[in-house]
Amino acid sequence: MAQENVKLLGVLGSPFVCRVQIALKLKGVEYEFVAQDLQNKSEELLKYNPIHKKVPVLVHNEKPINESLVIVEYIDEAWKGKSILPTDPYQRALARFWAKFIDDKVFGAAWKSIFTIDENEREKNVKEAQKAFQFLEDELKGKFFGGEKFGFVDIAAVYITFWIPMLQEIAGLELLTNEKFPKLCKWNQEFLSEPTIKESLPPRDPIFAFFKGLYEKIRASAK
């Protein structure tokens, strides 16, 4: 499929946008990144994603695709190159299951662990996040979730590798530690050392500063 007219509507520092950037990089797709201000949503974003009004949105020859995991699957099917999803139907189904598990069970619990003010509620979310990590720890049987090469589940889990260590540092929490989750932490290092991943991640310092400011603002508002 032709590579012309590929645009990615996104914001710097979004793990969901980063998933798409990794997939595009892996396939060698050239694209235009169109930065969005989610506080003042552009006509382009509202046009291409009128239902959710969120990023990322991939626009390929004026055809929009929404939702990060759906976009990654589309990229895998639309362009030749390294496969992102397994070829075996059962393994593909498992990959989709674990990617959805990360969205359903990891994102919300980890986010609430950091940004919830009430200590009892925070502790509940920490336990929920760590329970989800334990399932992933048990599922990780090779170098990556995709085997010896990273794939769909690893890309879905980029939030765990880059964002969670940064957020737990900001909040002074120990969500993901080598003592509790040695395989996940080793996978984390292997994944971040991959050239495609390193080149697709946003710069750490401004993202850290943004979330630190958000954290401090939320804490201050609760006093």
Side-chain angles (χ1 to χ4, degrees), residues 54 83 111 175 219:
K54 297 190 303 184
S83 294
W111 182 265
L175 276 178
R219 299 293 290 183

Side-chain angles (χ1 to χ4, degrees), residues 76-131:
D76 194 29
E77 294 174 359
W79 284 281
K80 295 178 181 178
K82 294 180 181 177
S83 294
I84 296 172
L85 276 153
T87 54
D88 177 76
Y90 178 68
Q91 294 301 323
R92 287 171 76 89
L94 280 183
R96 291 185 179 111
F97 171 85
W98 285 111
K100 189 173 187 305
F101 173 86
I102 289 164
D103 276 2
D104 291 348
K105 299 297 183 182
V106 175
F107 269 99
W111 182 265
K112 290 174 187 174
S113 297
I114 307 299
F115 293 105
T116 297
I117 302 301
D118 181 81
E119 290 301 326
N120 290 332
E121 191 66 23
R122 171 183 278 200
E123 184 60 30
K124 176 184 171 186
N125 286 305
V126 167
K127 288 179 180 177
E128 188 177 331
Q130 290 184 330
K131 183 179 178 182

Side-chain angles (χ1 to χ4, degrees), residues 79-219:
W79 284 281
K80 295 178 181 178
K82 294 180 181 177
S83 294
I84 296 172
L85 276 153
T87 54
D88 177 76
Y90 178 68
Q91 294 301 323
R92 287 171 76 89
L94 280 183
R96 291 185 179 111
F97 171 85
W98 285 111
K100 189 173 187 305
F101 173 86
I102 289 164
D103 276 2
D104 291 348
K105 299 297 183 182
V106 175
F107 269 99
W111 182 265
K112 290 174 187 174
S113 297
I114 307 299
F115 293 105
T116 297
I117 302 301
D118 181 81
E119 290 301 326
N120 290 332
E121 191 66 23
R122 171 183 278 200
E123 184 60 30
K124 176 184 171 186
N125 286 305
V126 167
K127 288 179 180 177
E128 188 177 331
Q130 290 184 330
K131 183 179 178 182
F133 289 150
Q134 189 60 58
F135 278 113
L136 292 174
E137 176 84 2
D138 295 340
E139 178 61 19
L140 190 56
K141 297 175 176 68
K143 183 177 179 181
F144 299 111
F145 288 101
E148 286 304 301
K149 296 180 180 178
F150 71 85
F152 190 62
V153 180
D154 305 281
I155 293 171
V158 68
Y159 177 69
I160 298 172
T161 62
F162 184 77
W163 278 265
I164 284 180
M166 184 165 50
L167 291 174
Q168 69 180 10
E169 181 182 338
I170 289 169
L173 285 178
E174 292 189 346
L175 276 178
L176 183 64
T177 64
N178 193 55
E179 290 74 26
K180 289 185 178 179
F181 307 107
K183 288 198 291 183
L184 263 182
C185 289
K186 189 173 188 301
W187 160 81
N188 191 332
Q189 293 173 349
E190 295 280 4
F191 189 55
L192 290 178
S193 69
E194 289 285 319
T196 301
I197 307 306
K198 285 195 285 190
E199 292 166 11
S200 303
L201 291 172
R204 186 182 188 276
D205 289 351
I207 307 304
F208 185 92
F210 171 80
F211 282 115
K212 192 171 191 297
L214 178 62
Y215 177 78
E216 289 172 349
K217 183 179 179 181
I218 291 172
R219 299 293 290 183

